[in-house]
Amino acid sequence: MTHKIHKTSDCTEVWECLQTQHKSLHASIVFRPGDIIIRFSAKEILTQPNYLSLQIDRDRHIVLEPDFLQFTNHSCEPNIYFDPKAMEIIALNPIQKQEELTFFYPSTEWIMNRGFACLCGSSQCLKKIQGVAQINPNILYKYRLSEHIKELLAS
Ligand SMILES: [Zn+2]
């Protein structure tokens, strides 16, 4: 076994790679598109983003509660969406047991304080992940984006 598995809710678990200590969030049950995977809340509200914060409207960023949601990795082909209005994580696609749950970070982030090189492995990979303010809008059409991001794009 190469992963240590931490049970984090009735339907999710965090896998920790024993070699790299890299953590990832996984489904422990099957989900259908539109299912609510988990609800989240704000442990803290920030006026500036940090590496782990989630942007919930034009000028507020939250530290996620429950804590383990910080281990949700980015993918350019995500299977979940963080809905910052409803404060729910929604399945975008059919999700199998054990599948990693991934989120398209720019769907909520206008500015990222640290961009990064993406290694998600998708054929659609954007390679460099940044806030939406720095991404070519033409490649965003296929993603579900939060309302505040759509408003900022239109303004
Ligand atoms: Zn990618």
Side-chain angles (χ1 to χ4, degrees):
M1 185 159 123
T2 56
H3 288 92
K4 187 171 169 185
I5 296 179
H6 307 266
K7 188 93 189 123
T8 47
S9 75
D10 289 345
C11 57
T12 61
E13 51 201 28
V14 166
W15 292 16
E16 180 180 359
C17 174
L18 293 177
Q19 272 155 356
T20 62
Q21 275 76 56
H22 176 76
K23 294 190 179 74
S24 49
L25 184 67
H26 294 255
S28 56
I29 63 168
V30 167
F31 292 102
R32 290 161 304 176
D35 282 353
I36 297 170
I37 295 173
I38 195 165
R39 289 172 205 279
F40 59 90
S41 59
K43 188 179 194 176
E44 218 182 310
I45 297 177
L46 311 171
T47 53
Q48 294 295 324
N50 69 27
Y51 188 53
L52 292 173
S53 62
L54 180 90
Q55 186 173 358
I56 56 163
D57 59 27
R58 278 178 183 237
D59 23 56
R60 289 188 303 167
H61 306 262
I62 66 169
V63 176
L64 289 164
E65 174 81 54
D67 281 337
F68 66 83
L69 293 176
Q70 68 182 274
F71 303 122
T72 314
N73 293 313
H74 164 89
S75 170
C76 301
E77 249 178 299
N79 56 10
I80 62 171
Y81 170 70
F82 277 66
D83 183 333
K85 273 222 166 82
M87 301 284 242
E88 291 165 349
I89 297 178
I90 310 292
L92 292 172
N93 305 317
I95 297 173
Q96 304 307 313
K97 270 188 198 178
Q98 314 237 293
E99 192 174 327
E100 183 176 358
L101 300 174
T102 58
F103 164 52
F104 183 67
Y105 287 1
S107 67
T108 54
E109 305 305 303
W110 181 246
I111 304 275
M112 264 188 217
N113 79 333
R114 276 204 247 170
F116 59 94
C118 186
L119 301 170
C120 75
S122 157
S123 58
Q124 321 280 312
C125 183
L126 307 183
K127 310 291 185 209
K128 183 156 190 225
I129 301 307
Q130 307 172 87
V132 163
Q134 284 112 11
I135 293 181
N136 176 350
N138 297 328
I139 55 179
L140 293 169
Y141 67 92
K142 62 182 172 182
Y143 291 105
R144 179 159 172 189
L145 302 173
S146 61
E147 294 306 315
H148 63 271
I149 292 295
K150 286 190 221 164
E151 283 170 25
L152 285 162
L153 275 172
S155 64

